[in-house]
């Protein structure tokens, strides 16, 4: 029997964030983003039509708090799991997310490796619960244990990269970034490094997640706001 796909709905009002989450989620095997919503009301209307296995949920939505939405989802759709992705790091919000049964809680700006690891861990837990009708205490401990571990061999940390990030290209990008002191757009960086805009944007967002770069949103007189990237490492 083939493994069931994990359908995902992203609830986030930041279009750039939606695109990043969607890109990295769809790159994972057995994951498929089937819809997005930018508000709580949109989400509740959407769930009347489709019920995904997983929702990636922001706390700060334009019409309601994500914790309130989590409670509504829990009341009406017990079979849907939720991973919170938010800038909210106060203990009250985190506590309410735990009480609401959130599978995970990721603080923005997200670390791509952690984002991917959390989705993979969700897949593992879901698969084990599906395959095993009974579990012992050791199995339960494994299911509830965090997957935030550093793999090592003979005490040396092994660096792993998310899908779509090549270590050689990353080295090139970092070397070019070190030459720049001012903020540049993804398009300007792509011309500097000599790679496509979409590839450059992916690497820039990855470096932002590692706290090696920061993003500044610049509002011009015409058109959409532009994201400018500046290095934090010296």
């Amino acid at each position: 029997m083939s493994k069931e796909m994990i359908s995902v709905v992203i609830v986030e009002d930041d279009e750039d964030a939606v695109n990043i989450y969607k890109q990295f989620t769809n790159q994972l095997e057995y994951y498929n983003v089937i819809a997005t919503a930018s508000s709580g009301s949109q989400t509740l209307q959407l769930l009347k039509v489709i019920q995904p296995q997983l929702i990636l949920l922001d706390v700060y939505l334009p019409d309601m708090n994500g914790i309130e939405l989590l409670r509504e989802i829990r009341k009406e759709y017990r079979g849907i799991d939720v991973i919170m992705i938010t800038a909210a790091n106060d203990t009250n919000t985190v506590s309410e997310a735990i009480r609401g049964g959130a599978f995970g809680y990721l603080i923005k700006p997200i670390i791509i490796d952690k984002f991917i690891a959390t989705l993979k861990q969700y897949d593992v837990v879901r698969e084990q619960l599906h395959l095993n009708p009974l579990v012992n205490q050791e199995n339960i401990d494994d299911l509830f244990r965090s997957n935030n571990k550093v793999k090592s061999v003979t005490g040396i940390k092994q660096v792993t990269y998310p899908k779509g990030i090549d270590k050689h290209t990353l080295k090139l990008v970092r070397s070019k970034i070190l030459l720049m002191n001012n903020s540049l757009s993804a398009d300007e960086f792509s011309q500097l490094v000599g790679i496509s805009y979409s590839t450059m944007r992916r690497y820039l967002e990855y470096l932002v997640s590692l706290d090696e770069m920061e993003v500044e949103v610049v509002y011009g007189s015409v058109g959409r706001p532009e994201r400018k990237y500046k290095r934090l490492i010296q």
Side-chain angles (χ1 to χ4, degrees), residues 161-180:
Y161 299 98
K163 188 174 180 181
I165 300 295
D166 172 74
K167 67 177 181 179
H168 301 294
T169 305
L170 182 60
K171 183 178 180 180
L172 171 64
V173 170
R174 280 175 167 149
S175 67
K176 295 293 186 181
I177 287 173
L178 285 173
L179 301 175
M180 305 303 300

Side-chain angles (χ1 to χ4, degrees), residues 14-232:
D14 184 328
E15 185 179 348
D16 288 329
V18 170
N19 292 333
I20 292 169
Y21 303 159
K22 186 174 182 180
Q23 175 184 335
F24 284 100
T25 300
N26 281 337
Q27 286 179 359
L28 294 174
E29 190 175 15
Y30 302 116
Y31 275 88
N32 181 35
V33 176
I34 59 173
T36 64
S38 60
S39 67
S41 58
Q42 281 186 3
T43 304
L44 294 175
Q45 289 296 317
L46 183 63
L47 293 180
K48 293 179 181 179
V49 181
I50 56 172
Q51 288 85 52
Q53 278 78 44
L54 178 65
I55 292 178
L56 303 181
L57 174 61
D58 189 17
V59 169
Y60 298 123
L61 298 172
D63 59 344
M64 67 188 302
N65 186 283
I67 295 297
E68 297 174 8
L69 180 56
L70 174 62
R71 296 192 189 107
E72 291 298 314
I73 293 170
R74 279 285 163 268
K75 285 193 297 185
E76 300 294 330
Y77 309 98
R78 298 287 297 176
I80 299 177
D81 294 308
V82 175
I83 293 175
M84 310 298 295
I85 305 179
T86 176
N89 61 352
D90 60 284
T91 55
N92 182 62
T93 301
V94 175
S95 298
E96 288 301 316
I98 293 173
R99 295 188 185 102
F103 178 85
Y105 197 104
L106 300 175
I107 296 178
K108 296 178 180 178
I110 64 167
I111 299 173
I112 297 298
D113 284 352
K114 178 64 177 176
F115 175 80
I116 292 173
T118 301
L119 292 183
K120 287 183 176 179
Q121 179 68 4
Y122 172 75
D123 184 20
V124 169
V125 171
R126 181 180 172 83
E127 183 73 3
Q128 289 184 5
L129 290 174
H130 176 72
L131 295 177
N132 302 310
L134 296 173
V135 292
N136 56 32
Q137 187 62 57
E138 183 179 358
N139 299 142
I140 292 172
D141 290 342
D142 288 338
L143 291 173
F144 278 88
R145 186 176 295 123
S146 171
N147 68 327
N148 187 21
K149 300 176 182 177
V150 177
K151 295 182 179 179
S152 64
V153 178
T154 65
I156 301 175
K157 291 182 180 179
Q158 303 296 305
V159 180
T160 58
Y161 299 98
K163 188 174 180 181
I165 300 295
D166 172 74
K167 67 177 181 179
H168 301 294
T169 305
L170 182 60
K171 183 178 180 180
L172 171 64
V173 170
R174 280 175 167 149
S175 67
K176 295 293 186 181
I177 287 173
L178 285 173
L179 301 175
M180 305 303 300
N181 292 318
N182 55 319
S183 301
L184 295 177
S185 66
D187 184 55
E188 290 170 325
F189 268 118
S190 71
Q191 296 179 42
L192 175 68
V193 179
I195 58 179
S196 69
Y197 168 83
S198 59
T199 299
M200 189 69 243
R201 175 68 181 276
R202 180 165 66 248
Y203 280 85
L204 288 171
E205 292 294 342
Y206 176 66
L207 291 174
V208 169
S209 75
L210 298 180
D211 290 329
E212 293 185 24
M213 302 197 75
E214 63 179 357
V215 179
E216 177 187 9
V217 179
V218 178
Y219 293 87
S221 57
V222 180
R224 296 181 58 189
E226 185 177 30
R227 291 167 71 86
K228 294 276 191 176
Y229 299 84
K230 184 176 181 179
R231 66 182 174 91
L232 292 175

